[in-house]
Amino acid sequence: MGTLTSILVLSFLIFFHELGHFLAARFFGVHVEVFSIGFGKKVFSKMVGKTEYCLSLIPLGGYVQMKGQDDRDPTKVSYDEDSYNTKAPWKRIIILFAGPFANFLLAFLLFLAIGSMGVTKFAPIIGQISPNSPALEAGLQENDRIVMINGVLIEGWDEVSQLIQESTEKLEVKIDRLGAVQTFLLNPKVNEYQNMFGETKHKKMIGIAPSGKTIEVVYGISELPKFAWQQTVKSTTLILTSLQKLVEGVVSPKELGGIISIVQVTSEASAAGLVALFALTALISVNLGVLNLLPIPALDGGHIMFNAYELLTKKAPNERVLTTMTTAGWLLLLSLMALSIFNDLYRLTNGN
C-alpha cells in the first residue's frame, strides 16, 4: 500500500509539473504533440484533439512534447506558426518556467490544506533548563508556560526561538506559573550549536528546551495564506541551502537519495497520517521545482538559460554548442541518478 501511495504521489507531482508547461504552451498557441506521465514504452495512449495523452512504463518523470522542441535532438526545429520555435524568447521562458511554478503553486495549496487541518507544534512550556544559563539566573522553572515575549503573544515554541534570535536588548518574558503571570528580564547569550548539516554555528540562547508537550494550531481563513507562503519559502530555502552545502562539500554525495528513498519516506509519511503525507508531498514538489530551475542543459533551467541568452543577444545559441551542452547535461543528470540509486541500494543492504 505504501509503495502504491508513493507512485501515486510521484505521478501526481509529475502531472502537475507537466500541466504547467502544457497550459502555458497552449496559452501562447503552441501545439502540444504528446503529454506523457512517465518515460519509455507507452502502456496507455489516447488522442484527444491533436494531442496524444499517455502513461509510460517508467514512472520517474514525464514530458510535454511541443511542436518543434525535442530534448533528444535540440537541432530539430519547426517554423510553423504553432511551433515552439517561432515564439518569442520571453514566451518560451514563460512556458519553461510554468512547470516549476506549478510545483511551487501545488506546495502552497498543500500547505493551505495542512494549515486548515491543524499543525502540531511544541507547546511553549519549559522543560529542561541549562545550568549557568540566563533562564536559570532569572528564575525560570520547569513547566513554566511562556505567554509573551517583548509584548508578543506566544502560541508555539517556534515563536519563542524566533523572538530570542530577533531580540536586540533584554528579553521581557511573561510566564504563567500555576495560574499566576510573572514577568522576568533576561540577557540572551551567544553560544555555539551544531546545525542540521553538522556545521558549528552561533546563535542567541537563554538555556531552555521545550517540555515535549504539543498543541494543535488550526489557522483561520485570514491567516492561511501567510502560513502557506511562509512554509513554501521555508521549504525552498531549505532545499537551496542543502544544494549549496552539497556543492561546498559540507554534505557528502553519499547523502543523495533517489527514487527508493522517496518511496520509503512517502510510505512512512502516509502511515503517519494525511497531514504528514501532505507535508512531504509539498516538500517533494518544491524540490522538483527547484531542481528543474537549475541552469543545467536538458532541464527547464537550462532551456531558460539558452532563451535568456537569445533574448539578450538577439541571436540563437550556436547549434553545436547547444548540442554539446545538452548532451553534457544529460550525462550529468544520469550520473546523479545513478549515484542516488547506488546510495539507496547501499543503505538498504547495510540496514541504514
Side-chain angles (χ1 to χ4, degrees), residues 13-170:
L13 292 177
I14 294 162
F15 167 77
F16 216 81
H17 178 93
E18 299 304 335
L19 182 63
H21 290 311
F22 176 83
L23 292 176
R26 295 303 301 129
F27 179 81
F28 288 118
V30 175
H31 170 51
V32 177
E33 297 173 340
V34 182
F35 187 122
S36 175
I37 302 300
F39 290 115
K41 184 179 179 181
K42 297 172 183 176
V43 295
F44 171 80
S45 178
K46 183 176 179 60
M47 290 294 298
V48 179
K50 296 182 179 180
T51 301
E52 179 186 12
Y53 296 86
C54 58
L55 292 174
S56 300
L57 188 61
I58 308 171
L60 303 180
Y63 62 93
V64 166
Q65 181 67 57
M66 293 177 284
K67 187 175 183 178
Q69 194 263 343
D70 191 341
D71 283 338
R72 294 166 297 182
D73 183 3
T75 63
K76 181 182 176 182
V77 297
S78 168
Y79 296 102
D80 295 339
E81 186 180 352
D82 61 350
S83 169
Y84 171 82
N85 304 104
T86 60
K87 304 304 174 184
W90 67 269
K91 292 183 179 179
R92 285 182 247 148
I93 289 174
I94 292 176
I95 292 171
L96 293 164
F97 181 72
F101 174 78
N103 288 121
F104 292 118
L105 175 61
L106 176 59
F108 179 82
L109 296 175
L110 287 169
F111 283 125
L112 282 179
I114 291 169
S116 65
M117 289 187 290
V119 179
T120 301
K121 295 184 175 184
F122 281 123
I125 300 174
I126 297 174
Q128 183 179 355
I129 300 178
S130 301
N132 302 318
S133 65
L136 187 65
E137 292 170 3
L140 297 186
Q141 297 177 11
E142 186 177 342
N143 292 321
D144 282 347
R145 177 182 284 270
I146 302 173
V147 294
M148 185 177 286
I149 295 180
N150 289 347
V152 179
L153 285 171
I154 301 301
E155 199 169 56
W157 190 267
D158 55 334
E159 296 166 304
V160 174
S161 303
Q162 181 181 345
L163 288 169
I164 291 173
Q165 298 313 306
E166 292 175 354
S167 65
T168 54
E169 300 176 352
K170 286 187 176 181

